Amino acid sequence: MSARKKERSRRGRREESDDDSSSMSSLNDNASSGGGDDDIVQDATLEEKVELLTEKRATIREHALKDLIAAMRMSLQGPLINSKLETLITSLMNSIKKGQTYEAGMACQALSLVFITLGAESEAIYSMVESQLAILAKDHRVPATRAAIIKALAMVCLIGCPEDEKAGEIISLFESFFEDTPPEVTVSALNGWGLLSTLKPVSDLAFGVAYSMLPTFKTLLENGDADVRAAAGENVALLYDASWQEDSADEAEDLAEILNHLQELAADNSRYMARRDRKEQRLTFREIQRTVESGEVPEIVIKIGSEQLELNSWSQIKQYEALTDILESGMPFHLAQNLLLRDMFDLGEVQSGPIEKMTTAQKKAFLSESAEVAKARDLHRTKNRKHRARIPSSHESDI
């Protein structure tokens, strides 16, 4: 134990129990003088916020999680994570297991961000969390928390799993959640299945996987939940994209029936859905239908400062969207500075030079439904079938 940590352990919390050695006395002085939980966390350094994850009071843990998530999204926190790795992982897993829905959900996000930050180094901690997450994914009683756990497990496996065979076991686990589960759990499992399937060779997806899984996804296209239908449809597109690349699309079973389902969903005008949801469903399934019919995939070009990223397969789209879902407005920064993402999307070494600042308006635009990637996916329906989306890089000190 370091001298600094020993010193901390001698300080007791004044307003709570005397045996909680993780609190800092300066922060307790703030609390005893009338400061709230938010003030306690605000005055803490990032290192101290990791220690605050061990606090007994849930609101303090939640505030600390919120700030740590923001820091990991907008900057590379590898040194901090490595210096506090054991405390951080243990605390996050405790929050996932025992926290209420809000805290557990944030802990799942933070765990995903730890793996995104560490990249290849995360293999060393993969075994520490994978088995626990797998058990919780099967047994957790709260559907929203269970869905968040499945999402985190998919991201953790994508980045940290050292063996293809082990990733296959997680994919099989997700398949067991496709039926007789709440819609949010089913959607998370379908998305996790699609994300991890991007690790498989195209030939495997085109032949064995397509033959075994298309009947399941065809059934899920008839599900009563719109999000379940969309998630199943994207997996159909992933498999047919691979099949067209291997010239085996025409050999897939039930092609006519699947196309019929997709055509119905692409033209659905059901009044039980909100207008925006109907429009989104139609656009999604028109894309999927085109991939199944002809192998056409949305070709998206995203500009990152002076660089550009081309997404021209459903595998890349699935990976990009999953990472964006976790990183949110920090995605441009990580594309520019994070070696994991640069390797994943073949962007090469980190480019030298200043990073452009992202304004508040640009951050909001990135997160809104009219974000540039979404616009680009819609624009693929135009005559050129080529898109250009402008997403400026972020600046660590500005965000």
Side-chain angles (χ1 to χ4, degrees), residues 82-151:
N82 281 316
S83 68
K84 296 285 186 179
L85 190 58
E86 185 175 352
T87 299
L88 183 57
I89 297 299
T90 300
S91 299
L92 291 178
M93 292 308 303
N94 283 337
S95 289
I96 293 171
K97 292 174 186 176
K98 302 174 183 178
Q100 297 297 313
T101 303
Y102 180 65
E103 179 185 351
M106 285 202 300
C108 286
Q109 291 182 43
L111 184 63
S112 295
L113 286 163
V114 167
F115 274 73
I116 290 171
T117 301
L118 294 181
E121 295 178 16
S122 63
E123 286 188 10
I125 60 170
Y126 177 76
S127 60
M128 294 171 59
V129 300
E130 179 269 332
S131 58
Q132 296 180 69
L133 289 177
I135 292 171
L136 291 168
K138 289 185 283 189
D139 298 338
H140 205 287
R141 296 180 180 181
V142 180
T145 301
R146 191 178 172 193
I149 291 167
I150 292 169
K151 177 179 169 182

Side-chain angles (χ1 to χ4, degrees), residues 174 189-199 217 235 238 315 318:
F174 291 164
L190 284 165
N191 287 334
W193 186 97
L195 180 62
L196 295 187
S197 291
T198 65
L199 297 173
F217 295 141
N235 286 342
L238 176 70
S315 286
K318 294 287 287 184

Side-chain angles (χ1 to χ4, degrees), residues 242-256:
S243 296
W244 278 103
Q245 291 181 53
E246 294 292 315
D247 296 323
S248 64
D250 293 337
E251 300 174 15
E253 296 181 7
D254 303 324
L255 175 59

